Amino acid sequence: KEGEEFEFPQGAQDSFNKEDWDIFARVKHFCRRLLLAEDCAVFTTLAVKEHIDHVIVRDAVIESAKALGRNCRAAINFGEDQPYTGLAQADDTSKAQMLIDRLKLEPIDYRIDLRRKTRLVMKHYSSQVEESYRQGLLLRARQLAGRNEAKSEMERIYKWNR
């Protein structure tokens, strides 16, 4: 959104242009092959704050899985978008929460070494991150640790039990 610390192109299917639909079709076709594999786990994002690239991939996975029905053999998991989830306001997470509710996604929290992760992200993804990225990770990791009464930071993924 314009004026926010992180500006990025937002999107949803109702605002896709032709190029977005072309990309969506290619990603959906690619997802189909992955979802047919029995010993495969697919990870996508919840698309918190609706970054268009995240929306395209998430929706392609969902639509492919639904089209395959019982033939969809891969496990499907949704990750919280980083750092957006840690920096998000309630109105930013409302659509993601509706998706969680609609698909009946099961939250899975797990401990992480946040210092190590931050170091690795800053080292290997330096063109895409800045200090606010670290702050977003830290806020969410500590929030989850508090909810779980854990002594170390945590992250969350969601399992889709179709």
Side-chain angles (χ1 to χ4, degrees), residues 2-158:
E2 191 174 330
E4 289 188 344
E5 190 166 353
F6 284 102
E7 289 187 20
F8 51 84
Q10 285 185 290
Q13 284 191 24
D14 60 0
S15 66
F16 282 4
N17 61 29
K18 182 184 179 329
E19 181 181 15
D20 298 331
W21 282 113
D22 290 345
I23 294 167
F24 178 78
R26 288 194 310 269
V27 173
K28 190 174 169 183
H29 178 74
F30 180 79
C31 289
R32 179 179 167 78
R33 292 183 309 193
L34 295 174
L35 296 172
L36 288 168
E38 196 165 339
D39 294 329
C40 182
V42 174
F43 287 81
T44 188
T45 68
L46 285 172
V48 171
K49 293 178 86 59
E50 298 185 296
H51 190 295
I52 194 165
D53 294 349
H54 297 201
V55 171
I56 287 171
V57 174
R58 179 202 65 196
D59 289 357
V61 169
I62 293 169
E63 287 191 21
S64 294
K66 287 183 175 182
L68 288 170
R70 292 178 185 241
N71 292 321
C72 178
R73 301 197 189 284
I76 301 174
N77 300 284
F78 295 80
E80 294 187 331
D81 304 66
Q82 298 178 354
Y84 309 121
T85 302
L87 301 172
Q89 304 297 319
D91 61 322
D92 294 322
T93 60
S94 63
K95 288 185 181 178
Q97 187 59 54
M98 286 189 294
L99 179 75
I100 291 165
D101 295 343
R102 182 169 48 92
L103 298 179
K104 297 178 175 73
L105 301 179
E106 174 190 344
I108 301 170
D109 296 344
Y110 55 93
R111 291 188 172 104
I112 61 166
D113 181 341
L114 187 63
R115 284 190 184 97
R116 182 169 186 263
K117 178 177 180 166
T118 302
R119 260 192 332 270
L120 290 170
V121 167
M122 298 303 248
K123 178 180 177 182
H124 298 290
Y125 201 49
S126 60
S127 66
Q128 298 291 312
V129 296
E130 53 194 41
E131 177 57 23
S132 54
Y133 185 95
R134 190 183 70 76
Q135 289 300 319
L137 289 179
L138 184 62
L139 287 169
R140 183 59 173 160
R142 289 184 175 164
Q143 180 185 57
L144 289 172
R147 288 182 185 172
N148 288 286
E149 298 179 7
K151 293 183 180 181
S152 65
E153 288 91 0
M154 301 189 83
E155 286 184 345
R156 174 176 287 171
I157 61 170
Y158 293 85

